[in-house]
Amino acid sequence: MSIVRARRDRNYSVMSHSVYADNRLSFQAMGLLSYILSKPDNWTVNIEHLVGVTQGTQKRTGKDGVYAILKELKDIGFVEMKKHASGKVDYFISDMPAANKTHSMSTICEVAL
């Protein structure tokens, strides 16, 4: 098998290999994490948006599935959550699990419930 890569002079993301090397992550979790990390640091997303991204794909993911994937990422340390009294949840997303980090998470995605 050969790997053929496109030229990378624009519209690409760089992230730690720890996302893909962590054998505790499902392919779904790797994909969702990669998708979120490809967005700007202050990108705001909601669960319905994440569900909508999978519409028209070979494997659609519903709301429960998205929550399950976020829980998987949280359990392993790629996601931290802060719940507010209003019901709003802030997700702090990193390309390195919490146990391996030496700095605080910088990507914040506000998720509306």
Side-chain angles (χ1 to χ4, degrees):
M1 178 186 322
S2 297
I3 297 174
V4 179
R5 300 183 198 279
R7 185 172 171 199
R8 289 171 190 80
D9 55 358
R10 65 175 193 260
N11 295 326
Y12 67 95
S13 298
V14 176
M15 67 180 65
S16 170
H17 283 207
S18 63
V19 170
Y20 309 108
D22 193 317
N23 61 3
R24 298 171 294 168
L25 288 177
S26 67
F27 279 127
Q28 285 181 313
M30 286 182 212
L32 181 61
L33 184 58
S34 297
Y35 176 80
I36 293 171
L37 290 171
S38 74
K39 304 301 180 193
D41 287 347
N42 61 349
W43 189 62
T44 301
V45 67
N46 65 43
I47 298 301
E48 293 301 326
H49 173 83
L50 293 175
V51 169
V53 169
T54 70
Q55 301 305 309
T57 66
Q58 291 290 321
K59 187 171 183 180
R60 293 174 53 183
T61 304
K63 187 183 285 190
D64 291 342
V66 170
Y67 279 118
I69 296 167
L70 287 171
K71 181 182 180 322
E72 176 183 348
L73 292 167
K74 179 180 177 278
D75 290 347
I76 295 172
F78 287 95
V79 171
E80 292 179 13
M81 296 171 44
K82 180 179 179 187
K83 295 181 183 181
H84 299 275
S86 66
K88 179 181 160 187
V89 178
D90 289 336
Y91 285 85
F92 300 84
I93 315 293
S94 175
D95 64 352
M96 190 175 300
N100 297 341
K101 285 189 318 221
T102 58
H103 56 21
S104 63
M105 294 188 173
S106 60
T107 301
I108 300 174
C109 295
E110 295 178 3
V111 179
L113 299 176

